Amino acid sequence: MKKMSNIYESAANTLGIFNSPCLTKVELRVACKGISDRDALSKPDPCVILKMQSHGQWFEVDRTEVIRTCINPVFSKLFTVDFYFEEVQRLRFEVHDISSNHNGLKEADFLGGMECTLGQIVSQRKLSKSLLKHGNTAGKSSITVIAEELSGNDDYVELSFSARKLDDKDFFSKSDPFLEIFRVNDDATQQLVHRTEVVMNNLNPVWKTFKVSVNSLCSGDQDRKLKCIVWDWDSNGKHDFIGEFSSTFKEMRGAMEGRQVQWECINPKYKAKKKNYKNSGIVILNQCKIHKMHSFLDYIMGGCQIQFTVAIDFTASNGDPRNSCSLHYIHPYQPNEYLKALVAVGEICQDYDSDKMFPAFGFGARIPPEYKVSHDFAINFNEDNPECAGIQGVVEAYQSCLPKLQLYGPTNIAPIIQKVAKSASEETNTKEASQYFILLILTDGVITDMADTREAIVHASHLPMSVIIVGVGNADFSDMQMLDGDDGILRSPKGEPVLRDIVQFVPFRNFKHASPAALAKSVLAEVPNQVVDYYNGKGIKPKCMSEYESSRTLAP
């Protein structure tokens, strides 16, 4: 049992680097006022795009929904961002007019932007600034961002609403209803929580099921008042009021286990004027499901093991290992970049793996005895058992195999991704959170089999695995950035998108003069979220301790 507690101790110790001090997620809500359009005759169809700055480049993180014909939009979609106290996180909010026939930004008109830091929003809770266009204020337009910390409770709720016999507000057709839910804050202000889609020409609408965090819905207070309003949508943006009702999350929870909760939708004006007014329709909550969100530590402490695999590039572009200019040169006193990257990342991962045995592979070399090119050979030359004992074992196997190889090419990494994916796919049969695979690929250059690699990554995104690529040396790594889905969605050659972003690419040269901890932190920062996204997305709960102990006999 001692061995088990050691894992937890070392896990807790290294979490400082592994999970970085981001234990805080922040929800940002956005609204704009007075946005003017290039076309004076029509109102804009605004959408706000959130960008973050990384290494001097802006990249898109997320975007709101598009609100049609509106100059004072209040967006329903939230932005959820990680807040790092120790970093300056620059944000840019861009308002674009998205024409209905084209959802991209090519046709879109830029209506104005606002830059600030996440720290400014968090410290002020509510930040309002003018929108700037090409350095000048864009008319009287402004943007307001409100921040809320997602504290502790990450659970979220799935709600399915419908209505029947709503009042008809349209002369020639039936109403086009949508529902808005507001949270009533302690200071009596109302905060939009969710806006459903519009169901056209229907007095008995069934709205799509939606998810919202418990925090967002009621700030964790089940008795907080929620105000719900039903509107009849109008294309000119002047929606007609149908009716309203109040509820609480506690009351909504009545719709669990197949029961329904119903409210009368009331129009106060009609109620005051009409004697035999009953209601303006009935709104029904058909289901309320609560999903518990588990954290990275919940899974690790429930006995999920991180299975760490290394793959090293032995292509000829590295240079002859006997030559001191080679990236594979073994200097008696100074580890080369391959070794530095391997040790920095491996030392953290090994804390989460109880047997400390790491499969290590090479690719792009001709190997003995026949000297055929291989893209997934065991560097200890034992194909039946490619595992090395500890990171030290990997280092020793690497040093002893170098003189026996003939560095060759091309740089194909799809075979090694497929190899680890095969193990990860066997793991999915257990339907429990017991092993998560991390593949560290160390390479000196642009890969040759990009199409196969994209295909392999899209397939792997459905499995319990993440891929970390560290670029060694001074090659042009621009193609590699494409595999790291931060700039957009990676797709297979057939157009299938990745289910989740599982690749992290880092050029080693950015960390040449930094500490190994800085490289490890950068490379591993996304792993905890990737682990959580995978298991939560599959609805797999952490294994509990007692079950873990009984299912696995631990060495004394």
Side-chain angles (χ1 to χ4, degrees), residues 498-513:
V498 282
L499 180 67
R500 44 195 197 95
D501 179 12
I502 61 162
V503 178
Q504 175 75 341
F505 171 75
V506 176
F508 186 84
R509 58 175 171 253
N510 294 4
F511 294 91
K512 228 172 181 164
H513 306 296

Side-chain angles (χ1 to χ4, degrees), residues 312-319 328 338 363-365 375 406-412 443-445 448:
I312 299 170
D313 179 336
F314 289 108
T315 53
S317 53
N318 283 283
H328 278 306
Y338 278 100
F363 57 92
H375 296 292
Q406 188 183 346
L407 273 52
Y408 207 69
T411 311
N412 291 352
T443 177
D444 82 317
T448 328

Side-chain angles (χ1 to χ4, degrees), residues 14 44 104 190 306:
T14 51
Q190 295 181 8
I306 299 287

Side-chain angles (χ1 to χ4, degrees), residues 16-147:
I17 303 175
F18 200 80
N19 213 4
S20 185
C22 169
L23 296 172
T24 309
K25 283 190 182 301
V26 176
E27 287 185 333
L28 302 178
R29 301 162 185 278
V30 187
C32 301
K33 277 211 168 116
I35 45 183
S36 50
D37 196 14
R38 66 203 181 282
D39 178 355
L41 299 174
S42 67
K43 293 179 185 169
D45 299 336
C47 163
V48 174
I49 293 173
L50 169 63
K51 294 184 171 178
M52 276 182 137
Q53 199 177 44
S54 173
H55 304 301
Q57 300 280 309
W58 290 103
F59 63 92
E60 179 177 334
V61 178
D62 208 348
R63 56 175 70 185
T64 64
E65 75 278 20
V66 177
I67 296 184
R68 300 282 169 219
T69 53
C70 187
I71 55 171
N72 301 317
V74 177
F75 296 95
S76 167
K77 179 168 163 58
L78 296 169
F79 294 133
T80 305
V81 290
D82 292 338
F83 172 62
Y84 294 94
F85 175 70
E86 76 283 11
E87 285 175 27
V88 176
Q89 291 169 276
R90 296 194 184 284
L91 307 182
R92 179 171 168 79
F93 296 85
E94 291 181 0
V95 187
H96 290 264
D97 179 11
I98 308 253
S99 54
S100 49
N101 57 357
H102 191 292
N103 244 357
L105 291 183
K106 305 282 183 285
E107 310 264 315
D109 267 41
F110 175 60
L111 301 177
M114 183 270 278
E115 286 182 23
C116 62
T117 67
L118 185 54
Q120 285 166 335
I121 306 173
V122 169
S123 60
Q124 295 177 37
R125 284 294 171 94
K126 180 176 182 177
L127 180 72
S128 293
K129 286 177 93 168
S130 297
L131 285 168
L132 298 181
K133 195 170 178 182
H134 312 307
N136 305 314
T137 51
K140 291 201 168 74
S141 58
S142 66
I143 185 167
T144 300
V145 185
I146 297 173

Side-chain angles (χ1 to χ4, degrees), residues 79-257:
F79 294 133
T80 305
V81 290
D82 292 338
F83 172 62
Y84 294 94
F85 175 70
E86 76 283 11
E87 285 175 27
V88 176
Q89 291 169 276
R90 296 194 184 284
L91 307 182
R92 179 171 168 79
F93 296 85
E94 291 181 0
V95 187
H96 290 264
D97 179 11
I98 308 253
S99 54
S100 49
N101 57 357
H102 191 292
N103 244 357
L105 291 183
K106 305 282 183 285
E107 310 264 315
D109 267 41
F110 175 60
L111 301 177
M114 183 270 278
E115 286 182 23
C116 62
T117 67
L118 185 54
Q120 285 166 335
I121 306 173
V122 169
S123 60
Q124 295 177 37
R125 284 294 171 94
K126 180 176 182 177
L127 180 72
S128 293
K129 286 177 93 168
S130 297
L131 285 168
L132 298 181
K133 195 170 178 182
H134 312 307
N136 305 314
T137 51
K140 291 201 168 74
S141 58
S142 66
I143 185 167
T144 300
V145 185
I146 297 173
E148 274 191 281
E149 182 188 343
L150 264 175
S151 51
N153 189 348
D154 281 346
D155 299 353
Y156 63 92
V157 197
E158 210 172 290
L159 300 169
S160 305
F161 282 95
S162 62
R164 65 168 186 265
K165 295 186 180 164
L166 292 174
D167 284 356
D168 197 352
K169 296 286 185 185
D170 293 346
F171 288 119
F172 301 112
S173 62
K174 297 186 175 121
S175 295
D176 308 316
F178 67 94
L179 170 69
E180 287 187 326
I181 299 174
F182 294 87
R183 181 185 78 209
V184 180
N185 295 324
D186 295 338
D187 60 1
T189 56
Q190 295 181 8
Q191 179 66 62
L192 177 66
V193 173
H194 183 77
R195 180 186 295 122
T196 68
E197 77 286 6
V198 177
V199 176
M200 300 299 282
N201 197 21
N202 194 334
L203 301 179
N204 303 301
V206 177
W207 289 291
K208 284 181 187 154
T209 302
F210 63 90
K211 289 177 183 173
V212 59
S213 71
V214 171
N215 204 63
S216 184
L217 182 64
C218 62
S219 309
D221 172 6
Q222 296 199 22
D223 297 311
R224 183 177 294 282
K225 185 177 171 184
L226 304 174
K227 188 173 181 181
C228 307
I229 305 178
V230 181
W231 299 92
D232 167 31
W233 178 82
D234 250 321
S235 57
N236 64 5
K238 294 177 182 167
H239 311 305
D240 299 314
F241 176 79
I242 293 179
E244 63 186 25
F245 62 92
S246 293
S247 182
T248 60
F249 177 39
K250 194 174 194 174
E251 188 179 19
M252 289 181 177
R253 290 182 69 153
M256 288 164 78
E257 283 101 44

